């Protein structure tokens, strides 16, 4: 019997392989695990518990994640190349909060009753699918895992989860913590592997009733096709983005808050973020001043070793990604764009790929850098003269995930927010909202369900109508 091929866990920090040897899950092993998950579901050891009992186990899981927070942050930093400070301050606490929130929310779900007449009781309830699956991206391994693990398990499903092949270790640790928390074996199964084999097997597995995917639009299309060709499982897709930040002339009233939040939107996680505000649209009246202040703030960001707590921007995920994004910059420059900052790799840690914060303006309207997601620390600045032009520029992309609108005139901010084609719009801030509000995209950014809020439970449950004729 041949040994399973280990996953190539190359550390973005320096390109090294590290010591971890994580075997890749085969398609046959996926089938074995989904079969086992189905048996666990039907046994009732988890699905048959009172919702508060499941909530208690998930709250114990959150406590254990908090206990191991430093270890989880170190794994995220090593595998994804994310700045350690970002993992410590944002990603790990956010994941813990997600687990707690969904655990505490599950007993707030209700069905409905309908006025069908005196001789009838008509009602609906939601029930778990049984075996469900999730496929994760590499840029937020732990945060995205928590968004899926917590609601899927809270309602009683057994979840088979595939982390990205390059960033499995933090999620594998959570699987161990789930067992320690008292969640029965087989209720949460983490299967590291490649998308071509393990991911494809999950998308085609007939035992899986629902699958939630976060990742690229190209992969999302393949998953949707596989599901359509097999058991028509429910598919929820959260994919790419090319988010605009629309800045009206009166937005300068927000001072440094405007600059700091547009910088965060553009460069958080080195721009490797699906909601990254990579297209800045600024009114011509303030374009010169805004651009000067934005470029100065971007140039002050610390591009450095992700293990250094002073680092603002770490490496991009790998050499191929760096080559692809810098080629797009050069193509735009050759077409007449002006590179105001960056546009190069910077030697930081040997073997890593550190792309400098990059800002371009005067980009030709037809340039692909304005429409294609680069997933890197690269921002374009365009100008507009009125509301209509701002909206047209914002909507000139096949994506529709997120947008920001900055204006001191709330009427205008609301009008533009309604006109922009995006699933999440923040006003006078960069925000994806908190756990109480839904998150999901339009167009090529996805469909089929939302993350966060009570509505996230809809991805993991199906509605049943019950019609009772009364005789008496």
């Amino acid at each position: 019997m041949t040994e399973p091929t280990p996953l190539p866990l190359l550390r973005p920090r320096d390109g090294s392989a590290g010591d971890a040897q994580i075997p890749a899950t085969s398609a046959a092993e996926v089938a074995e695990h989904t079969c086992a998950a189905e048996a666990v579901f039907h046994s009732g050891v988890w699905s048959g518990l009172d919702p508060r009992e499941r909530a208690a186990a998930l709250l114990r899981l959150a406590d254990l994640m908090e206990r191991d927070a430093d270890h989880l942050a170190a794994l995220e930093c090593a595998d994804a190349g994310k700045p350690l400070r970002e993992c410590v301050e944002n990603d790990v606490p956010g994941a813990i909060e997600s687990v707690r929130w969904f655990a505490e929310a599950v007993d707030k779900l209700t069905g409905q009753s309908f006025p069908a007449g005196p001789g009838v009781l008509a009602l609906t309830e939601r029930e778990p699918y049984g075996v469900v699956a999730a496929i994760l991206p590499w840029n937020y391994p732990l945060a995205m895992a928590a968004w899926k693990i917590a609601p899927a398990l809270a309602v009683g499903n057994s979840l088979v989860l595939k982390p990205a092949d390059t960033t499995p270790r933090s999620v594998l640790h959570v699987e161990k913590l789930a067992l320690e928390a008292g969640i029965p074996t087989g209720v949460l199964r983490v299967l590291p592997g490649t998308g071509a084999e393990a991911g494809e097997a999950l998308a085609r597995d007939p035992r899986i009733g629902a699958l939630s995917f976060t990742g690229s639009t190209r992969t999302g299309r393949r998953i949707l096709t596989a599901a359509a060709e097999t058991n028509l499982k429910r598919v929820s897709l959260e994919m790419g983005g090319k988010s605009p930040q629309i800045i009206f002339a009166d937005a300068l009233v927000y001072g440094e808050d405007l600059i700091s939040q547009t910088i965060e939107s553009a460069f958080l996680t080195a721009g490797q973020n699906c909601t990254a505000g990579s297209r800045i649209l600024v009114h011509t009246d303030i374009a010169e001043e805004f651009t000067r202040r934005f470029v100065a703030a971007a140039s002050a960001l610390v591009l450095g070793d992700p293990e250094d707590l002073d680092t603002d921007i770490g490496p991009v995920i790998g050499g191929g990604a760096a080559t692809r994004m810098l080629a797009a910059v050069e193509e735009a420059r050759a077409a007449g764009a002006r590179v105001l900052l960056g546009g190069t790799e910077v030697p930081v840690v040997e073997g890593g790929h550190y792309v400098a914060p990059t800002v371009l303006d005067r980009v030709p309207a037809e340039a692909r850098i304005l429409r294609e997601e680069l997933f890197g620390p690269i921002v374009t600045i365009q100008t507009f003269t009125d509301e209509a032009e701002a909206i047209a520029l914002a909507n000139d992309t096949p994506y529709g995930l997120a947008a920001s609108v900055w204006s001191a005139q709330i009427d205008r901010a609301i009008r533009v927010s309604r006109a922009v084609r995006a699933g999440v719009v923040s006003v006078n801030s960069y925000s994806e909202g908190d756990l109480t509000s839904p998150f999901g995209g339009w167009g090529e950014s996805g469909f089929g369900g939302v993350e966060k809020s009570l509505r996230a439970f809809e991805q993991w449950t199906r509605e049943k109508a019950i019609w009772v004729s009364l005789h008496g």
Side-chain angles (χ1 to χ4, degrees), residues 2 7 89 102 218 223 293 316 383:
T2 59
L7 293 171
E89 296 179 357
F102 284 110
R218 181 180 64 178
I223 290 170
R293 292 171 62 183
V316 297
T383 60

Side-chain angles (χ1 to χ4, degrees), residues 93-184:
I96 295 167
E97 181 189 11
S98 293
V99 174
R100 287 189 174 134
W101 194 91
F102 284 110
E104 293 168 349
V106 69
D107 64 353
K108 314 303 185 291
L109 298 179
T110 60
Q112 293 180 288
S113 62
F114 302 91
V120 170
L121 173 63
L123 55 89
T124 62
E125 61 182 16
R126 301 197 72 88
E127 62 179 30
Y129 279 94
V131 184
V132 295
I135 299 176
L136 303 180
W138 57 261
N139 58 335
Y140 288 92
L142 194 61
M144 294 298 96
W147 279 13
K148 300 178 194 299
I149 289 170
L153 266 56
V155 296
N157 291 296
S158 296
L159 174 65
V160 182
L161 184 149
K162 193 197 88 64
D165 54 0
T166 55
T167 56
R169 292 192 297 162
S170 61
V171 189
L172 283 166
H173 189 70
V174 169
E175 181 185 33
K176 294 178 182 177
L177 297 182
L179 294 174
E180 188 178 345
I183 296 172

Side-chain angles (χ1 to χ4, degrees), residues 308-335:
D308 188 333
L309 289 175
D310 291 329
T311 292
D312 297 310
I313 299 180
V316 297
I317 192 64
T323 298
R324 173 181 50 77
M325 60 186 70
L326 293 178
V329 171
E330 287 307 309
E331 181 182 304
R333 191 203 305 260

Side-chain angles (χ1 to χ4, degrees), residues 19 62 65 69 102 112 195 201 222 258 273 277 319-320 337 348 364 394 406 410 425 430:
D19 299 326
M65 291 170 65
F102 284 110
Q112 293 180 288
R222 291 183 60 185
L258 168 67
N273 176 14
V348 175
W406 289 82
I410 193 62
V425 181
Y430 164 61

